[in-house]
Amino acid sequence: MGSPHLLALNWEELYARLRRQVRRLIARYNVAAWRGQEEDLVEDIVQESVRRFIERQPRVERGEIAPARSPEHMLFTIACNCCLDLYRRERRLIHTGGEYLPVLREMEAKEPTEQALERAYQQELFAIVAREVEHFPQGQRRALLIDLAELMSFGEEPTALQNAFLEQGIDLSHYRDWPEDRRQHEQRVALRNHAYRRLARLPSIRAYIAGHEH
């Protein structure tokens, strides 16, 4: 970590925040084969993400690529890719069905070249999601927004999904670190599950995905 840019970062805080984010991401995928080894996976993904982040710095210093505007957002994007690699290895494919969140997270975590190829698809789909969620029952709507906010890193530039909600007047950053006790958390988890099943069954979502399948 000899680069001045790297030395200036608060690595202790970045590690702590990244571990929390990765822990939530692993829990959300709910892969049976991962149970009992979640903390080992967290450490593996965090270390791999930091390694990849550091390895890109020589290219930044040579002016080949732009520096990360938000190191935390960059690290979380890399961590999402690492987690997806593990998920695909275990499941071989991602099922949409009621588990709509992994699909949204996968699209948010694509590499820049993939993002350029699928940007129009993402933005239109995310816009549909944001519009539909606005009409959900209040409890389901709040539970879904809190869940999305928990799994996001908020950098200087909003992601495509964050922008889609902003256009509907919804700032996902307001749903971070939502205060709740154990009972409220259990209620929210139940509402969240209903919300994702509702989202996956919406005619507008199903029609759009079906119309863009290859």
Side-chain angles (χ1 to χ4, degrees):
M1 296 187 190
S3 164
H5 176 69
L6 294 178
L7 291 173
L9 297 176
N10 186 335
W11 283 100
E12 183 177 353
E13 182 177 339
L14 281 174
Y15 268 105
R17 291 180 65 87
L18 187 60
R19 284 191 183 97
R20 288 196 296 270
Q21 292 166 330
V22 171
R23 195 173 288 116
R24 289 168 177 164
L25 189 59
I26 287 174
R28 197 66 67 241
Y29 277 112
N30 193 29
V31 177
W34 293 357
R35 290 172 193 161
Q37 55 179 332
E38 289 89 349
E39 288 306 308
D40 289 338
L41 284 169
V42 169
E43 289 305 312
D44 288 346
I45 291 171
V46 167
Q47 295 299 327
E48 177 65 13
S49 301
V50 172
R51 182 187 68 79
R52 294 186 189 181
F53 178 80
I54 292 172
E55 287 182 350
R56 77 186 295 277
Q57 295 314 301
R59 296 184 63 198
V60 171
E61 292 167 7
R62 291 194 299 268
E64 296 175 4
I65 55 175
R69 294 185 179 181
S70 168
E72 181 182 352
H73 185 268
M74 172 67 74
L75 282 165
F76 185 53
T77 298
I78 296 171
C80 281
N81 286 324
C82 291
C83 196
L84 281 163
D85 288 343
L86 292 175
Y87 183 84
R88 287 167 177 153
R89 200 172 302 156
E90 294 289 347
R91 305 295 280 285
R92 298 303 175 189
L93 56 89
I94 291 179
H95 301 284
T96 52
E99 294 184 79
Y100 203 78
L101 178 61
V103 177
L104 292 179
R105 289 307 320 156
E106 178 187 15
M107 294 174 73
E108 282 281 276
K110 287 182 179 295
E111 296 293 338
T113 52
E114 294 177 283
Q115 289 177 353
L117 290 172
E118 298 196 6
R119 186 163 318 221
Y121 174 83
Q122 289 184 21
Q123 290 176 344
E124 190 172 350
L125 178 58
F126 291 164
I128 295 172
V129 171
R131 286 197 300 269
E132 294 285 8
V133 168
E134 181 66 16
H135 302 293
F136 276 25
Q138 184 176 355
Q140 291 184 22
R141 176 181 180 275
R142 183 173 59 247
L144 188 147
L145 296 176
I146 293 171
D147 202 59
L148 285 173
E150 281 183 347
L151 287 171
M152 285 186 177
S153 178
F154 293 85
E156 295 178 9
E157 295 293 328
T159 66
L161 185 57
Q162 290 167 19
N163 267 328
F165 278 100
L166 284 171
E167 289 176 3
Q168 296 299 314
I170 301 171
D171 187 345
L172 287 173
S173 68
H174 294 167
Y175 292 86
R176 288 183 295 179
D177 304 319
W178 195 269
E180 58 187 5
D181 57 27
R182 181 180 181 84
R183 179 172 170 275
Q184 290 170 325
H185 174 75
E186 291 173 350
Q187 290 176 336
R188 178 168 65 83
V189 169
L191 287 168
R192 177 203 70 192
N193 293 341
H194 284 301
Y196 282 121
R197 285 194 291 270
R198 184 189 186 100
L199 186 64
R201 290 196 300 264
L202 287 172
S204 58
I205 298 292
R206 297 172 71 91
Y208 188 80
I209 293 175
H212 289 76
E213 285 179 345
H214 299 292

